[in-house]
Amino acid sequence: MDVRAPRWGDIAIAAALLILALIGVHAAPDTAHAYDSWGFLLILAQIAPVAWRQQYPRIVLWAILLPWAATVGIGYADTPAMFALYLALYGIAAYTPRRTALRHGGAVLAIALAWTVVGLLYTDHVPWTSLVAVALAVIVPMMLGFVDFRRRERLTVLELEHERREQAQRVVAQDAVRAERARIARELHDVVAHEITVMTLQAEGARRLAKDSDARVLEALATIAASGRTGLSEMQRMIGVLRATEQEAVDTAERDLAVAEMQPMPALAAIPALTQHVEDAGLPVELSIVGTSHVPAGVELNAYRVVQEALTNAMKHAGPGARATVRVEREPDRVLVVVEDDGRGVISEAARHSGGHGLRGMAERVHALGGTLEYGPRTGGGFRVRATLPSTDDQVGHRPTTTTKGGR
């Protein structure tokens, strides 16, 4: 048997009832049966089970009902000990299923009414109004118990729903991070693989052109070509492992990635078209791209993605009538991207953990390159995203100067 110890709160209730009952004994009228040792034992028998009223509500109900019936039958005066029966009736309704409570409560009501009828017929001190009093004494505590039971049910449902919602948000956020990492790995693979392939082919071509040159030059070119092929193979193997570990998270995004692979790799030169697309969607954008420093392809790609995600968030959350500004500064050692809007600037938790990559995706991209990302409410209203991506101008030549375009 699973015999559980009583709770301290219920022990305190039983002790208080016992004290009140003993006080009530001294205040009992002289017309009632005088309390003797049997009377005090019946009081104790009524009150003691209260200490276990939450653990064993059905047993407690019947354990209290029997001494109560004996007390009433003998003719002892009423004392606060009878409140123990009310607590037991409340407990049977509050801590057991409704059908169980109705069965036990109905049986108690029938017994109490029958016992009252016996007193009404065979004694002269039980008025007919006792039938109404007994019925209400059973029904009212049980109604209170049913209300409390229903309230706890609703609270439990709300807590479970809240926990399920939080769990779903955590899963979605984790999937978004893993999917974004896989996407970054794929795009970096495409960029770096292209550069290594060009390097290897250039080394092979130079070796063929310099076949009559110094043997040390030919050996160096051969080493460059071999190292390029080895590095490309190792990179493909490592990216393959990463993709395999992230496969479960990116299954739902495979179609989008397949479509993205067929399109040109986005770069800073594609930002004007992106802002124009956002303007066509209803959000005015003012664009500024300054500087002529060379930016590696991987940095260009990630700068474009940061602008894309920031403008997507602005369209979702900036509100009607908002405007956005995009500033891209190309410097020799870094690329600075600042995207601001003057709308509400509210990025809710639901948006942070939504099915898109959002702010987490931007953070993954920037941190993967060793950069920094800051985002939050903007002074004066709106939202601000600021990303700094490290960059080095390590190639000969310069690209054409990017003109500044107004987004109105």
Side-chain angles (χ1 to χ4, degrees):
M1 295 179 61
D2 181 17
V3 179
R4 287 168 285 180
R7 301 184 180 184
W8 287 107
D10 292 335
I11 293 175
I13 292 174
L17 278 180
L18 181 59
I19 294 172
L20 291 174
L22 294 177
I23 294 174
V25 167
H26 293 286
D30 296 335
T31 56
H33 192 285
Y35 273 92
D36 50 16
S37 58
W38 284 108
F40 287 108
L41 286 176
L42 289 174
I43 288 177
L44 183 61
Q46 288 182 73
I47 295 176
V50 171
W52 288 271
R53 67 185 187 91
Q54 295 187 58
Q55 289 93 329
Y56 312 102
R58 289 172 292 184
I59 297 175
V60 167
L61 175 62
W62 293 103
I64 293 175
L65 180 66
L66 295 178
W68 170 83
T71 301
V72 174
I74 294 173
Y76 290 111
D78 290 335
T79 66
M82 64 182 179
F83 287 108
L85 182 60
Y86 302 156
L87 287 175
L89 289 167
Y90 166 84
I92 198 71
Y95 307 127
T96 62
R98 182 177 293 270
R99 289 186 178 181
T100 301
L102 289 175
R103 286 199 305 268
H104 288 268
V108 170
L109 179 60
I111 293 173
L113 288 176
W115 200 235
T116 303
V117 169
V118 171
L120 184 63
L121 295 177
Y122 295 98
T123 65
D124 56 357
H125 63 271
V126 178
W128 66 269
T129 54
S130 297
L131 293 173
V132 179
V134 167
L136 292 177
V138 174
I139 293 173
V140 171
M142 291 194 66
M143 293 302 297
L144 293 175
F146 285 139
V147 171
D148 199 26
F149 182 85
R150 181 59 181 164
R151 182 184 61 83
R152 287 202 309 274
E153 271 191 335
R154 288 197 296 267
L155 289 176
T156 301
V157 170
L158 290 176
E159 289 175 356
L160 291 176
E161 184 64 27
H162 179 70
E163 182 62 28
R164 282 195 293 266
R165 191 182 301 112
E166 286 191 342
Q167 180 64 24
Q169 289 178 352
R170 287 194 293 268
V171 171
V172 169
Q174 293 171 359
D175 289 344
V177 170
R178 289 196 294 266
E180 186 66 14
R181 286 176 179 173
R183 183 179 177 184
I184 293 172
R186 186 184 295 257
E187 292 176 345
L188 289 179
H189 168 266
D190 294 340
V191 172
V192 178
H194 171 74
E195 300 295 340
I196 294 179
T197 301
V198 171
M199 178 189 70
T200 303
L201 293 177
Q202 292 288 345
E204 291 284 2
R207 190 160 69 96
R208 287 194 295 270
L209 293 176
K211 58 183 178 180
D212 297 330
S213 299
D214 190 343
R216 291 176 296 180
V217 174
L218 296 176
E219 183 179 357
L221 292 173
T223 301
I224 293 173
S227 298
R229 287 191 294 270
T230 302
L232 184 60
S233 299
E234 285 295 316
M235 185 188 63
Q236 289 174 340
R237 182 183 65 81
M238 294 176 65
I239 295 297
V241 172
L242 177 60
R243 286 177 180 172
T245 58
E246 303 292 345
Q247 191 59 40
E248 292 183 0
V250 301
D251 281 343
T252 57
E254 283 297 329
R255 290 190 298 272
D256 294 339
L257 294 176
V259 173
E261 284 183 344
M262 299 174 63
Q263 299 176 350
M265 193 69 66
L268 294 179
I271 292 181
L274 172 64
T275 58
Q276 186 61 51
H277 178 72
V278 173
E279 280 196 342
D280 295 340
L283 177 66
V285 181
E286 183 177 347
L287 173 64
S288 172
I289 302 179
V290 297
T292 59
S293 299
H294 167 71
V295 179
V299 177
E300 285 202 41
L301 169 65
N302 285 280
Y304 175 90
R305 293 300 187 199
V306 169
V307 174
Q308 183 182 45
E309 295 290 358
L311 289 177
T312 300
N313 280 337
M315 286 192 294
K316 288 181 179 179
H317 308 290
R323 303 180 64 86
T325 59
V326 177
R327 186 173 84 254
V328 180
E329 298 180 4
R330 299 166 54 168
E331 300 178 3
D333 59 345
R334 70 170 187 171
V335 174
L336 177 65
V337 178
V338 180
V339 182
E340 297 178 315
D341 67 72
D342 58 1
R344 294 192 306 270
V346 177
I347 303 296
S348 63
E349 286 300 317
R352 294 176 188 269
H353 303 302
S354 63
H357 303 306
L359 300 173
R360 289 180 178 272
M362 283 193 284
E364 287 291 329
R365 287 185 170 278
V366 174
H367 295 161
L369 294 178
T372 59
L373 177 68
E374 301 173 2
Y375 56 83
R378 174 175 166 266
T379 302
F383 201 77
R384 182 172 186 265
V385 176
R386 185 180 188 276
T388 303
L389 303 172
S391 172
T392 55
D393 192 4
D394 55 357
Q395 296 184 12
V396 178
H398 299 282
R399 298 186 180 185
T401 303
T402 303
T403 58
T404 301
K405 174 185 175 182
R408 298 181 181 273

